[in-house]
Amino acid sequence: MGHERQLVKDMMEPRHFRTLFISDVHLGSKAAKADFLLDFLRHHEADTIVLVGDIVDGWRLKRSWYWPQVCNDVVQKLLRKARKGTRVVYIPGNHDEFLRAFPGMHFGGIEVVERMMHDGADGRKYLILHGDEFDVVVRNARLLAYLGDWAYDTAIRINIILAAVRRRLGMPYWSFSAWAKLQVKHAVNFIGEFERVVAEEARKNGADGVICGHIHHAVIQDMDGIRYINTGDWVESCTAVAEHEDGTLELITWRSLASSVPALVAIEMHDEGELAPQAA
């Protein structure tokens, strides 16, 4: 019994990392898994937290205001971490582009930058940016971007209904919208092209890797000598990337609220570039 009690205590103790990278939360959208993110932040600490864009969904808030208490709770949690000494950096994306007018500013201890270079503990240099500047649709065809956003909203609504049914049946979270996206050939081709272009941007800037968001497709992989990391999102995949003290990068998936189901899934990126499953 004592061993089991200690095991539960260890599982509930916050994990501490050198750096946490989080993107595409879309606070203000009904699809945002703000409760999952809040739970994640309660169980994870870091010296530095980098918010890699689209944390607030200004596009949806312009269409209709939706800001439940849990959105405030997430913001307050981040501000509290900043007050307690965590460095919190905010790199705006296209959905929260209004913050791009304030580079170098600090809001409650959270600093805003357009992009940054991160020095990994293992000596690697990572270019960090949201990534929307490499999305041709967002950059060159604003109307198409909004139409795509509407179609994505429809898939997300289906996702919400399915998630509610699965939760009532005691089944784990599964994203219909993420599955549907990967069934579309054009979407798969777009993801591959986006990854290639962003990795090349890292190379041009003399970086060993790139950390980005935007396309809601979490992955850690090596591409022709450049380490490409996408943090995923908190609408579909509920993922974040964590840097350990030795520079090892871990892709964490948070698909159950730990207060009720502490069994979580993570993927760790080993130095050889292979992906291996690991209990979080």
Side-chain angles (χ1 to χ4, degrees), residues 152 155-156 159 173 175-182 235-236:
Y152 184 62
I156 289 296
N159 211 50
Y173 171 73
S175 175
F176 164 78
S177 52
W179 172 84
K181 182 169 62 179
L182 292 177
V235 174
E236 296 173 313

PDB file of all heavy atoms in Angstrom, residues 152 155-156 159 173 175-182 235-236:
ATOM      1  N   TYR A 152     -12.797  23.969 -41.408  1.00  0.00           N
ATOM      2  CA  TYR A 152     -12.138  23.340 -40.263  1.00  0.00           C
ATOM      3  C   TYR A 152     -13.050  23.401 -39.040  1.00  0.00           C
ATOM      4  O   TYR A 152     -13.143  22.442 -38.261  1.00  0.00           O
ATOM      5  CB  TYR A 152     -10.823  24.073 -39.992  1.00  0.00           C
ATOM      6  CG  TYR A 152      -9.980  23.481 -38.904  1.00  0.00           C
ATOM      7  CD1 TYR A 152      -9.466  22.193 -39.010  1.00  0.00           C
ATOM      8  CD2 TYR A 152      -9.677  24.224 -37.759  1.00  0.00           C
ATOM      9  CE1 TYR A 152      -8.667  21.660 -38.013  1.00  0.00           C
ATOM     10  CE2 TYR A 152      -8.885  23.692 -36.763  1.00  0.00           C
ATOM     11  CZ  TYR A 152      -8.374  22.413 -36.902  1.00  0.00           C
ATOM     12  OH  TYR A 152      -7.597  21.886 -35.917  1.00  0.00           O
ATOM     13  N   ALA A 155     -15.528  20.531 -39.101  1.00  0.00           N
ATOM     14  CA  ALA A 155     -14.924  19.275 -38.642  1.00  0.00           C
ATOM     15  C   ALA A 155     -14.756  19.277 -37.132  1.00  0.00           C
ATOM     16  O   ALA A 155     -14.950  18.252 -36.465  1.00  0.00           O
ATOM     17  CB  ALA A 155     -13.576  19.068 -39.331  1.00  0.00           C
ATOM     18  N   ILE A 156     -14.415  20.438 -36.580  1.00  0.00           N
ATOM     19  CA  ILE A 156     -14.217  20.549 -35.135  1.00  0.00           C
ATOM     20  C   ILE A 156     -15.539  20.341 -34.394  1.00  0.00           C
ATOM     21  O   ILE A 156     -15.577  19.725 -33.321  1.00  0.00           O
ATOM     22  CB  ILE A 156     -13.609  21.916 -34.767  1.00  0.00           C
ATOM     23  CG1 ILE A 156     -12.134  21.975 -35.229  1.00  0.00           C
ATOM     24  CG2 ILE A 156     -13.701  22.173 -33.284  1.00  0.00           C
ATOM     25  CD1 ILE A 156     -11.232  20.975 -34.541  1.00  0.00           C
ATOM     26  N   ASN A 159     -16.097  16.902 -34.120  1.00  0.00           N
ATOM     27  CA  ASN A 159     -15.128  16.421 -33.134  1.00  0.00           C
ATOM     28  C   ASN A 159     -15.659  16.569 -31.712  1.00  0.00           C
ATOM     29  O   ASN A 159     -15.523  15.672 -30.870  1.00  0.00           O
ATOM     30  CB  ASN A 159     -13.834  17.223 -33.289  1.00  0.00           C
ATOM     31  CG  ASN A 159     -12.602  16.436 -32.924  1.00  0.00           C
ATOM     32  OD1 ASN A 159     -12.429  15.324 -33.401  1.00  0.00           O
ATOM     33  ND2 ASN A 159     -11.760  16.997 -32.094  1.00  0.00           N
ATOM     34  N   TYR A 173      -9.855  10.190 -25.462  1.00  0.00           N
ATOM     35  CA  TYR A 173     -10.054  11.223 -26.478  1.00  0.00           C
ATOM     36  C   TYR A 173      -9.462  10.778 -27.811  1.00  0.00           C
ATOM     37  O   TYR A 173      -8.384  10.198 -27.877  1.00  0.00           O
ATOM     38  CB  TYR A 173      -9.401  12.531 -26.027  1.00  0.00           C
ATOM     39  CG  TYR A 173      -9.370  13.589 -27.103  1.00  0.00           C
ATOM     40  CD1 TYR A 173     -10.530  14.258 -27.469  1.00  0.00           C
ATOM     41  CD2 TYR A 173      -8.184  13.887 -27.761  1.00  0.00           C
ATOM     42  CE1 TYR A 173     -10.506  15.218 -28.480  1.00  0.00           C
ATOM     43  CE2 TYR A 173      -8.150  14.846 -28.763  1.00  0.00           C
ATOM     44  CZ  TYR A 173      -9.316  15.507 -29.115  1.00  0.00           C
ATOM     45  OH  TYR A 173      -9.280  16.440 -30.115  1.00  0.00           O
ATOM     46  N   SER A 175      -9.353  12.371 -32.025  1.00  0.00           N
ATOM     47  CA  SER A 175      -9.687  13.527 -32.848  1.00  0.00           C
ATOM     48  C   SER A 175     -10.168  13.119 -34.236  1.00  0.00           C
ATOM     49  O   SER A 175      -9.384  12.630 -35.052  1.00  0.00           O
ATOM     50  CB  SER A 175      -8.478  14.459 -32.967  1.00  0.00           C
ATOM     51  OG  SER A 175      -8.776  15.521 -33.852  1.00  0.00           O
ATOM     52  N   PHE A 176     -11.460  13.328 -34.487  1.00  0.00           N
ATOM     53  CA  PHE A 176     -12.009  13.094 -35.826  1.00  0.00           C
ATOM     54  C   PHE A 176     -11.406  14.065 -36.825  1.00  0.00           C
ATOM     55  O   PHE A 176     -11.050  13.686 -37.948  1.00  0.00           O
ATOM     56  CB  PHE A 176     -13.530  13.260 -35.809  1.00  0.00           C
ATOM     57  CG  PHE A 176     -14.130  13.423 -37.183  1.00  0.00           C
ATOM     58  CD1 PHE A 176     -14.318  12.322 -38.009  1.00  0.00           C
ATOM     59  CD2 PHE A 176     -14.479  14.683 -37.659  1.00  0.00           C
ATOM     60  CE1 PHE A 176     -14.848  12.473 -39.294  1.00  0.00           C
ATOM     61  CE2 PHE A 176     -15.010  14.843 -38.929  1.00  0.00           C
ATOM     62  CZ  PHE A 176     -15.199  13.733 -39.751  1.00  0.00           C
ATOM     63  N   SER A 177     -11.279  15.335 -36.441  1.00  0.00           N
ATOM     64  CA  SER A 177     -10.792  16.354 -37.371  1.00  0.00           C
ATOM     65  C   SER A 177      -9.356  16.073 -37.796  1.00  0.00           C
ATOM     66  O   SER A 177      -8.994  16.261 -38.963  1.00  0.00           O
ATOM     67  CB  SER A 177     -10.905  17.747 -36.749  1.00  0.00           C
ATOM     68  OG  SER A 177     -10.311  17.788 -35.475  1.00  0.00           O
ATOM     69  N   ALA A 178      -8.518  15.608 -36.848  1.00  0.00           N
ATOM     70  CA  ALA A 178      -7.134  15.286 -37.203  1.00  0.00           C
ATOM     71  C   ALA A 178      -7.101  14.087 -38.144  1.00  0.00           C
ATOM     72  O   ALA A 178      -6.344  14.063 -39.122  1.00  0.00           O
ATOM     73  CB  ALA A 178      -6.332  14.982 -35.944  1.00  0.00           C
ATOM     74  N   TRP A 179      -7.941  13.092 -37.873  1.00  0.00           N
ATOM     75  CA  TRP A 179      -8.003  11.914 -38.736  1.00  0.00           C
ATOM     76  C   TRP A 179      -8.477  12.294 -40.133  1.00  0.00           C
ATOM     77  O   TRP A 179      -7.896  11.873 -41.139  1.00  0.00           O
ATOM     78  CB  TRP A 179      -8.957  10.877 -38.124  1.00  0.00           C
ATOM     79  CG  TRP A 179      -9.225   9.717 -39.031  1.00  0.00           C
ATOM     80  CD1 TRP A 179      -8.464   8.596 -39.198  1.00  0.00           C
ATOM     81  CD2 TRP A 179     -10.342   9.585 -39.933  1.00  0.00           C
ATOM     82  NE1 TRP A 179      -9.030   7.768 -40.139  1.00  0.00           N
ATOM     83  CE2 TRP A 179     -10.180   8.344 -40.606  1.00  0.00           C
ATOM     84  CE3 TRP A 179     -11.452  10.389 -40.214  1.00  0.00           C
ATOM     85  CZ2 TRP A 179     -11.099   7.898 -41.553  1.00  0.00           C
ATOM     86  CZ3 TRP A 179     -12.360   9.935 -41.161  1.00  0.00           C
ATOM     87  CH2 TRP A 179     -12.192   8.708 -41.821  1.00  0.00           C
ATOM     88  N   ALA A 180      -9.528  13.109 -40.203  1.00  0.00           N
ATOM     89  CA  ALA A 180     -10.084  13.500 -41.496  1.00  0.00           C
ATOM     90  C   ALA A 180      -9.064  14.279 -42.314  1.00  0.00           C
ATOM     91  O   ALA A 180      -8.938  14.085 -43.526  1.00  0.00           O
ATOM     92  CB  ALA A 180     -11.346  14.341 -41.287  1.00  0.00           C
ATOM     93  N   LYS A 181      -8.307  15.148 -41.647  1.00  0.00           N
ATOM     94  CA  LYS A 181      -7.319  15.965 -42.342  1.00  0.00           C
ATOM     95  C   LYS A 181      -6.267  15.089 -43.013  1.00  0.00           C
ATOM     96  O   LYS A 181      -5.841  15.347 -44.140  1.00  0.00           O
ATOM     97  CB  LYS A 181      -6.667  16.934 -41.353  1.00  0.00           C
ATOM     98  CG  LYS A 181      -5.652  17.870 -41.970  1.00  0.00           C
ATOM     99  CD  LYS A 181      -5.256  18.975 -41.003  1.00  0.00           C
ATOM    100  CE  LYS A 181      -4.601  18.437 -39.757  1.00  0.00           C
ATOM    101  NZ  LYS A 181      -4.202  19.517 -38.827  1.00  0.00           N
ATOM    102  N   LEU A 182      -5.857  14.027 -42.319  1.00  0.00           N
ATOM    103  CA  LEU A 182      -4.810  13.166 -42.847  1.00  0.00           C
ATOM    104  C   LEU A 182      -5.309  12.196 -43.915  1.00  0.00           C
ATOM    105  O   LEU A 182      -4.521  11.470 -44.512  1.00  0.00           O
ATOM    106  CB  LEU A 182      -4.142  12.396 -41.701  1.00  0.00           C
ATOM    107  CG  LEU A 182      -3.332  13.269 -40.746  1.00  0.00           C
ATOM    108  CD1 LEU A 182      -2.769  12.429 -39.613  1.00  0.00           C
ATOM    109  CD2 LEU A 182      -2.215  13.993 -41.483  1.00  0.00           C
ATOM    110  N   VAL A 235      -6.298  21.824 -29.790  1.00  0.00           N
ATOM    111  CA  VAL A 235      -7.629  21.720 -30.369  1.00  0.00           C
ATOM    112  C   VAL A 235      -7.891  20.269 -30.757  1.00  0.00           C
ATOM    113  O   VAL A 235      -8.959  19.718 -30.511  1.00  0.00           O
ATOM    114  CB  VAL A 235      -7.763  22.633 -31.612  1.00  0.00           C
ATOM    115  CG1 VAL A 235      -9.105  22.424 -32.307  1.00  0.00           C
ATOM    116  CG2 VAL A 235      -7.602  24.095 -31.209  1.00  0.00           C
ATOM    117  N   GLU A 236      -6.863  19.639 -31.342  1.00  0.00           N
ATOM    118  CA  GLU A 236      -6.985  18.253 -31.788  1.00  0.00           C
ATOM    119  C   GLU A 236      -6.094  17.315 -30.976  1.00  0.00           C
ATOM    120  O   GLU A 236      -6.566  16.389 -30.333  1.00  0.00           O
ATOM    121  CB  GLU A 236      -6.604  18.156 -33.268  1.00  0.00           C
ATOM    122  CG  GLU A 236      -7.522  18.924 -34.185  1.00  0.00           C
ATOM    123  CD  GLU A 236      -7.004  18.945 -35.612  1.00  0.00           C
ATOM    124  OE1 GLU A 236      -5.814  19.215 -35.826  1.00  0.00           O
ATOM    125  OE2 GLU A 236      -7.815  18.693 -36.508  1.00  0.00           O
TER     126      GLU A 236
END
